[in-house]
Structures are given as C-alpha cells and as structure tokens.
Amino acid sequence: MVGRSLESIRKAENAGKLPEQDKDERGRRLGYSLEQVNLMRDVFGTRPGRSAEDTPIIISVQNFKGGVGKSTVVTHLSQHLALKGYRTLVIDCDSQASTTTMFGLNPDLEVGDDETLQNFLEPGGENNLRYAVRRTYWDGIDLIPSNLGFYDTEYTIAAKAFREDFMMMDRLRIGVEDIAQDYDVVLLDPPPALGMISLSALRAANALIIPTPPSTVDFCSTAHFLEMLSDVLTMFNKAGLRREYQFIRVLATRTSEQHRADSQILTMMSAVFGAQMIEPRLKSSTEIRNAAARMMSVYELAAPITSREVNMRCRASLDQVNEAVELLVRKTWHSHQADLRRAGYL
Ligand SMILES: Nc1ncnc2c1ncn2[C@@H]1O[C@H](COP(=O)(O)OP(=O)(O)O)[C@@H](O)[C@H]1O
Ligand SMILES: [Mg+2]
C-alpha cells in the first residue's frame, strides 16, 4: 500500500521519520490504520494522486432511475480510491441521502439544512462550498452530506432558472470546480430524477458513469437518459456553455450469470455501447445487500456476512470495477502517462 519495502519502512521508523506504530501490551505491532498508511505515503512521497497541473476528475454516477446502484458505486468507489491514497470528496446530491447514511450520519438528526448543498445553491447563501465539507471516518474521504430538506432546492432552482436566470444551473459547477482543487477525485451522487439538481450535476461533472442493471426497464431508462443528455448538451452548447467530458461510460450493475435474460440484455448492451462500457461488471451479490442493511459497505465488514466465498467473490467484483474506473481517471492525468505506458496500459 505504501509502495516501499518492509525494510525501508522499518529503517525509516528506526530513524524516527515515521511515527511509532501502535503496539499491544506485549509489544506486538498492531498493524496500521489507513491514516498511518497515508502518513507513510506522505513521508515517502508515494501518494498516487494527480500533480498540480492535472485536472481533478469530477465523476457524476448518474442515471435517472433509482435502485440502479448509484449510491453503492459511489460509496465503494470512494473507499477504493481512499485506500489507494487518492484525496476524495463525495457530494451527496440526493435528498434520500443514502450515501450520507452509509458514511454513518443520520440525515434527520446530524445534518442541518444549512449544512448541505442547499445553502450554496439557494440565492443569498454561502459563496463557496467549504462550509459543507466534513471529514469522514475514512481517512482521505470528505463528504458533503444531504438530507430531506435539500429537496426544496429542486424547486428554488427551477423557479429561478425559468423565470430569470438560466445560469442557476451552472452554480453547482462553479462551486464544485472551486473545491475540487483540494482533491484528486470528486464523486457526485445525484438524485434519481430528471430535475434541476440532476442537470446541475451533469454540468458540474467532467466525467460520467452510468450504472445500468441488465433489465429491459433499466436499459430503456438508460437509453432515455442518453437522449436527454444529448439534448441537454446541445442546449448548453447553444447557450455558449460547452461541456467536455473526460470519459462517459456505462457500467453494468447487479448482473447475474444465472439469469438467461440478464445475459441476453448484457450482450445487447455490449453491442450498443461497445467500448463505452466498463468491461468488468458489478455482479449482483447478497453481500452488498446484507452489508447495506447494516449501513456498511462491503469493504467495511470485519467478517463476511453471507459466507466467506460470497464475500470474496463480491469483493473481487467490486475491486475489478473500481480498478477499471481508477485506470480511466489516471489516463486523464498527464503526470501518470509514463507510469501507465510502462505498465502497458497505453
Ligand atoms: N451489485 C448489487 N448486488 C446486490 N444488491 C445491490 C447491488 N447494487 C445495489 N444493491 C442494492 O440495491 C439497492 C439500491 O441500490 P443503490 O445503490 O441505493 O441505488 P441508487 O442509488 O441508484 O438508488 C440497495 O439496497 C443496494 O444495497
Ligand atoms: Mg442513491
């Protein structure tokens, strides 16, 4: 994880360059927390993030349908990136606040209406997003939480955008681009609806991942989403607000090898989307559901819930998807090109 041999780490520890590792009462080493690992990465200069010249990647994990796995992808992807040492910001733009909940907050009790995006997006509010950023218990992941009150902002923006100010839809982009300078990757979790917040997220992002389970309904929903996307981008272009995306990818989620219908639709999706599909699929797994019932991600489980085998299969699938996204991100950064070429990715 640190990118240095055990020997170099011990040497640095003995030389007092690294903080003492925690030990139990018998003097045995207790292992490292992510925070300690990140400290070591800082000492050795082995953080994998972008250079100051590279653009922070702002990924919106977006589809207009609920239950397709958006929040699941956002949560697990952010934790994967944080384990690797990327500085990550998660922005919950959904008033259902499931991502906020997954990060251990009770949106009704622990998130005030003035602590979500609302305060920035509504007229007369804050002029940047820093007030809303919280550290999470995951070192390297910050969160802008959401709560039910954020739903009102949908109407405030709509009313204002239609009556007087089309640029209201651009406000989130301005706030996010500003704060993104502090991070390697920003992940947006927009609401499952075709509204002002969704449009604002589309505008704020510079990369899109579109999760789609292999069902006819979800496939159709994704087709509509893409049509809409094309219309919206044309509309923005006409208004002189061109948006370039570093990548747009469809991610098959909740897939199951057992179902014949699933694999037929997957074949169709591959034929339609071709190279725009992320090759690994996020398999359907009871472990994800079981972990979610405890308000945890699969990466947070201290022990398997369903069974060891199911847990391992699920983690492998999550890792594959997350690594594919990590690679897409790294490919956009100039400072990573030489390493990627050496590793045969370019
Ligand atoms: N790959 C998967 N396997 C099994 N259950 C999943 C998977 N992805 C998501 N789920 C479950 O489906 C439900 C909806 O997922 P969620 O990520 O909240 O979707 P969205 O954010 O698009 O509404 C949650 O209960 C989640 O635990
Ligand atoms: Mg969600």
Side-chain angles (χ1 to χ4, degrees):
M1 288 180 86
V2 175
R4 285 287 181 271
S5 67
L6 190 61
E7 205 193 336
S8 329
I9 292 173
R10 292 283 177 264
K11 254 194 218 154
E13 276 176 348
N14 292 336
K17 284 191 205 142
L18 295 176
E20 273 296 296
Q21 195 187 351
D22 298 340
K23 294 186 178 139
D24 68 8
E25 62 277 10
R26 285 199 244 156
R28 285 179 306 198
R29 293 170 190 274
L30 282 171
Y32 297 94
S33 67
L34 181 55
E35 196 176 352
Q36 288 168 326
V37 169
N38 279 331
L39 245 163
M40 288 195 256
R41 286 170 167 151
D42 288 335
V43 169
F44 288 113
T46 52
R47 284 256 190 185
R50 65 185 177 93
S51 76
E53 290 76 43
D54 298 326
T55 313
I57 290 298
I58 305 164
I59 307 175
S60 184
V61 179
Q62 197 155 6
N63 195 325
F64 290 150
K65 210 162 161 294
V68 295
K70 293 184 297 293
S71 301
T72 303
V73 169
V74 165
T75 310
H76 289 86
L77 178 59
S78 68
Q79 294 176 356
H80 168 92
L81 293 170
L83 285 171
K84 291 287 185 86
Y86 298 94
R87 298 163 302 157
T88 307
L89 173 66
V90 172
I91 306 184
D92 195 349
C93 313
D94 184 0
S95 55
Q96 284 175 19
S98 46
T99 295
T100 298
T101 311
M102 288 287 274
F103 277 102
L105 292 170
N106 181 328
D108 298 326
L109 301 175
E110 291 167 281
V111 183
D113 284 347
D114 53 355
E115 295 174 310
T116 68
L117 288 175
Q118 183 166 12
N119 214 351
F120 174 76
L121 291 177
E122 305 233 345
E126 300 272 347
N127 63 9
N128 70 66
L129 283 173
R130 284 183 176 75
Y131 73 93
V133 175
R134 301 183 188 208
R135 295 192 66 171
T136 66
Y137 55 87
W138 274 77
D139 194 60
I141 305 182
D142 287 347
L143 172 74
I144 296 185
S146 184
N147 69 10
L148 202 56
F150 185 52
Y151 196 63
D152 295 345
T153 305
E154 188 69 55
Y155 296 101
T156 319
I157 301 184
K160 216 169 150 50
F162 287 124
R163 258 189 289 116
E164 48 197 291
D165 190 3
F166 180 72
M167 297 303 281
M168 274 301 282
M169 261 188 279
D170 208 31
R171 190 156 164 79
L172 185 62
R173 178 189 66 76
I174 293 167
V176 172
E177 277 183 356
D178 165 41
I179 205 161
Q181 298 307 323
D182 300 345
Y183 300 94
D184 298 308
V185 181
V186 178
L187 297 175
L188 302 175
D189 186 359
L194 208 166
M196 290 295 127
I197 308 289
S198 281
L199 290 175
S200 300
L202 266 183
R203 202 54 214 133
N206 60 18
L208 296 178
I209 292 177
I210 306 161
T212 308
S215 78
T216 312
V217 181
D218 293 312
F219 180 74
C220 292
S221 156
T222 297
H224 283 303
F225 174 74
L226 292 172
E227 255 173 63
M228 238 289 304
L229 180 62
S230 159
D231 289 349
V232 169
L233 294 183
T234 309
M235 181 181 86
F236 280 137
N237 278 352
K238 280 192 187 143
L241 302 169
R242 212 183 148 69
R243 195 67 183 146
E244 301 281 352
Y245 293 97
Q246 302 280 352
F247 56 83
I248 299 177
R249 290 290 185 283
V250 173
L251 169 66
T253 53
R254 315 185 65 160
T255 68
S256 158
E257 257 111 64
Q258 276 95 15
H259 299 295
R260 250 178 72 85
D262 273 24
S263 46
Q264 281 170 350
I265 294 176
L266 278 170
T267 309
M268 183 169 76
M269 280 166 67
S270 302
V272 172
F273 298 124
Q276 305 313 310
M277 263 188 87
I278 292 179
E279 207 171 312
R281 300 152 180 179
L282 185 54
K283 290 182 187 156
S284 178
S285 174
T286 327
E287 196 71 343
I288 291 184
R289 208 155 318 160
N290 280 336
R294 296 183 183 180
M295 288 187 261
M296 290 168 102
S297 79
V298 172
Y299 289 140
E300 292 172 326
L301 297 175
I305 305 179
T306 321
S307 74
R308 203 177 130 72
E309 204 203 332
V310 169
N311 180 282
M312 282 180 17
R313 238 185 296 139
C314 180
R315 281 187 74 120
S317 175
L318 285 163
D319 287 348
Q320 279 174 11
V321 168
N322 291 332
E323 265 153 32
V325 177
E326 183 190 346
L327 188 59
L328 284 169
V329 169
R330 292 182 63 203
K331 281 182 177 170
T332 71
W333 290 334
H334 191 74
S335 65
H336 281 241
Q337 302 297 303
D339 274 355
L340 289 172
R341 208 163 297 125
R342 222 171 296 126
Y345 288 121
L346 289 175

